[in-house]
Amino acid sequence: MKIERELSMKNQPLPFLGGLTAEQFLQEYWQKKPLFVKGAFPNFEDPLTADEIAGLAFEPFIPSRFIYESGGERPWQLKMGPATEEDFATLSEKSWMLVVNDVEKNLPELKSMLDPFRFISHWRLDDLQVSLGEDAGNVGAHWDDYDVFLLQGMGKKRWQISYAPVSEDDFVEGVDIRLIENFRPDEEWIVEPGDLLYLPPRIGHYGVNIGRSVTWSIGFRAPKHREMLRDYMEMKFDEVAEDARYCDPQLEVVTQPGALSDAAVDRVVAILESALTQDRAEIAKWFGAFITEPKMFQVPESLEECLTFDALMEYLDDGGYLEVHPGITLLHYISGDEILLFAAGKSYSLPLSERVLVEQLTVETEWGYDELVEMLTAPIAQQFLLQLIQDGILLLDEAEDEFDDALDDELDE
């Protein structure tokens, strides 16, 4: 079964959340405590077969890794993709799990699996991950720094969770992956296809396959404070004039030349405060660009030739359509008399008169002639859309078809 699009109002009970509304879930469970829902998605069927999932691991542009439980001095081993035929030939000798990330960015048709969770802002969503393994396969007891919904596909799995506090030091030494050394479960479930388990950050969990098993993980990113501060500081650093220097034209005679005066410290404080002025609109513009930076292999490519607006409308009128690059998140933000669109680490500014167009681009993923024609009457809107196409943010459907065909060919090899 394909999970159908489910953009719900905050007060509408959601069956996949056990009858909770989105508002109730966020208030009572989000980043607070786990939630298990039996039969959250009835009759769920994996959108990919086990062979197709395994095929993704051969692709150099799709992040993947094998995790082996092999015993001996190094009981757990991690091998990063891309996979080789030899990797799969030796799997019968050990318990293993194959984990593939960014599935929806490389197979855009799987984005529909994320639709039920659109009551959470787009920028918080990290990726759709899938894991495949045979009986007893697992990735060990561990914890994550992000929120995750674990949707069971084929087979069964035993999930155990622990409420014990975890720390950066609570790991098994000498192992390539972050494992909890003394894991003691507090709750346990046997999950079947369509069951859903939500886990907030830093909840220890341990899932072991019962027979061949597939798990789909919808993960939500949480950027580190250090990452944000470093990126913001780099932006501010670039704004400081290269020849700007400390100066003190009102310097006074000192009686203790070895002392650091309050006047000197005040000047330094003024320099730093001036450079780090916290303007809300500026921070929003920086953060929108920061949080939409594309991942590796997802950077859009600019068109080599310029497309005219007349040629675009003729293309759309003939049945063509535009769609967002599958690896890119679009966000908008209203600042004063302008509306900003953030995409692939860039910001685009338009007057508020084009608000409907910008907001529409962040809601839908594809548009035809009828959806766009009435929003493209102003020349500034026409040039804006052409710029997004030129920058590779929006794709003509032929470009997407070529992407899909190339991936299909590689999976068939």
Side-chain angles (χ1 to χ4, degrees):
M1 181 202 77
K2 178 181 179 181
I3 299 179
E4 298 181 353
R5 188 176 182 87
E6 190 173 354
L7 296 175
S8 305
M9 299 299 291
K10 67 178 183 179
N11 293 320
Q12 178 181 342
L14 302 175
F16 71 91
L17 293 179
L20 296 171
T21 66
E23 187 175 43
Q24 287 175 319
F25 170 77
L26 294 178
Q27 290 179 351
E28 299 175 20
Y29 290 89
W30 180 257
Q31 299 203 334
K32 302 175 185 69
K33 59 183 179 180
L35 174 66
F36 174 68
V37 181
K38 186 69 177 175
F41 295 99
N43 305 313
F44 176 77
E45 295 181 3
D46 296 295
L48 299 177
T49 66
D51 287 343
E52 289 171 331
I53 294 172
L56 296 176
F58 287 95
E59 304 302 336
F61 55 88
I62 301 180
S64 64
R65 59 196 184 276
F66 279 104
I67 299 174
Y68 306 107
E69 186 178 12
S70 55
E73 294 182 359
R74 291 173 57 83
W76 293 88
Q77 296 183 35
L78 172 68
K79 183 182 184 301
M80 303 301 294
T84 65
E85 294 290 350
E86 183 179 356
D87 291 326
F88 283 95
T90 60
L91 289 181
S92 60
E93 303 172 5
K94 61 197 77 174
S95 297
W96 59 274
M97 289 288 287
L98 169 64
V99 181
V100 183
N101 287 91
D102 295 333
V103 178
E104 86 292 355
K105 298 177 181 64
N106 294 285
L107 298 176
E109 63 271 23
L110 299 191
K111 282 181 177 287
S112 61
M113 293 187 67
L114 309 177
D115 287 345
F117 309 97
R118 295 295 185 186
F119 59 88
I120 300 170
S121 298
H122 290 181
W123 72 264
R124 286 290 265 118
L125 181 64
D126 189 18
D127 76 334
L128 174 66
Q129 172 189 286
V130 62
S131 59
L132 165 70
E134 298 293 345
D135 186 55
N138 65 92
V139 299
H142 64 285
W143 55 270
D144 301 305
D145 281 314
Y146 51 80
D147 301 84
V148 63
F149 290 91
L150 300 165
L151 172 60
Q152 181 64 22
M154 76 165 75
K156 298 181 180 181
K157 196 166 197 167
R158 175 181 288 104
W159 277 113
Q160 297 176 323
I161 65 171
S162 170
Y163 295 107
V166 296
S167 72
E168 296 289 346
D169 300 324
D170 186 18
F171 299 136
V172 178
E173 293 185 4
V175 179
D176 296 327
I177 52 180
R178 188 170 65 181
L179 301 177
I180 298 175
E181 187 165 16
N182 298 304
F183 180 80
R184 296 182 178 85
D186 294 308
E187 289 193 71
E188 176 180 305
W189 302 274
I190 303 296
V191 300
E192 300 175 299
D195 292 350
L196 184 71
L197 175 62
Y198 162 73
L199 295 175
R202 301 204 164 206
I203 291 291
H205 51 286
Y206 184 33
V208 181
N209 292 343
I210 301 175
R212 175 177 288 187
S213 176
V214 170
T215 301
W216 300 88
S217 304
I218 298 93
F220 291 82
R221 66 184 304 188
K224 290 183 177 181
H225 291 185
R226 285 190 172 190
E227 293 173 351
M228 292 190 291
L229 183 59
R230 181 182 298 112
D231 194 87
Y232 181 71
M233 292 294 288
E234 288 178 356
M235 179 198 72
K236 299 299 292 185
F237 179 83
D238 291 338
E239 293 178 354
V240 178
E242 188 173 349
D243 60 349
R245 290 180 179 272
Y246 176 94
C247 60
D248 47 10
Q250 305 301 323
L251 186 63
E252 298 179 354
V253 175
V254 298
T255 58
Q256 294 182 339
L260 178 63
S261 68
D262 286 334
V265 173
D266 289 343
R267 293 187 191 101
V268 173
V269 169
I271 291 170
L272 297 181
E273 287 181 342
S274 175
L276 297 176
T277 299
Q278 295 186 9
D279 176 81
R280 182 180 179 84
E282 180 186 73
I283 291 176
K285 187 173 182 179
W286 157 77
F287 185 71
F290 166 79
I291 207 65
T292 58
E293 278 284 352
K295 291 185 176 182
M296 186 181 299
F297 303 118
Q298 299 299 330
V299 178
E301 297 182 3
S302 299
L303 294 184
E304 295 182 358
E305 299 181 0
C306 293
L307 181 69
T308 66
F309 183 71
D310 289 341
L312 172 63
M313 296 311 290
E314 181 179 354
Y315 160 80
L316 294 174
D317 195 30
D318 287 341
Y321 60 91
L322 294 175
E323 57 188 0
V324 179
H325 185 293
I328 289 176
T329 296
L330 300 183
L331 300 174
H332 71 265
Y333 180 78
I334 295 176
S335 178
D337 58 357
E338 65 177 354
I339 183 166
L340 303 173
L341 177 76
F342 303 105
K346 298 180 180 179
S347 64
Y348 301 83
S349 174
L350 282 176
L352 272 180
S353 58
E354 304 307 321
R355 176 175 179 173
V356 173
L357 171 61
V358 175
E359 290 182 346
Q360 185 70 13
L361 292 177
T362 63
V363 173
E364 302 297 335
T365 57
E366 62 180 48
W367 307 269
Y369 181 87
D370 293 339
E371 292 84 8
L372 288 172
V373 63
E374 294 184 0
M375 295 185 288
L376 296 175
T377 57
I380 192 172
Q382 298 170 8
Q383 291 303 313
F384 167 65
L385 198 70
L386 290 176
Q387 187 64 58
L388 293 180
I389 297 172
Q390 185 67 36
D391 291 346
I393 305 299
L394 298 182
L395 305 176
L396 307 179
D397 63 347
E398 285 92 353
E400 184 62 33
D401 288 342
E402 292 174 2
F403 177 88
D404 285 342
D405 291 343
L407 182 59
D408 289 341
D409 291 342
E410 290 169 338
L411 290 177
D412 290 339
E413 292 178 356

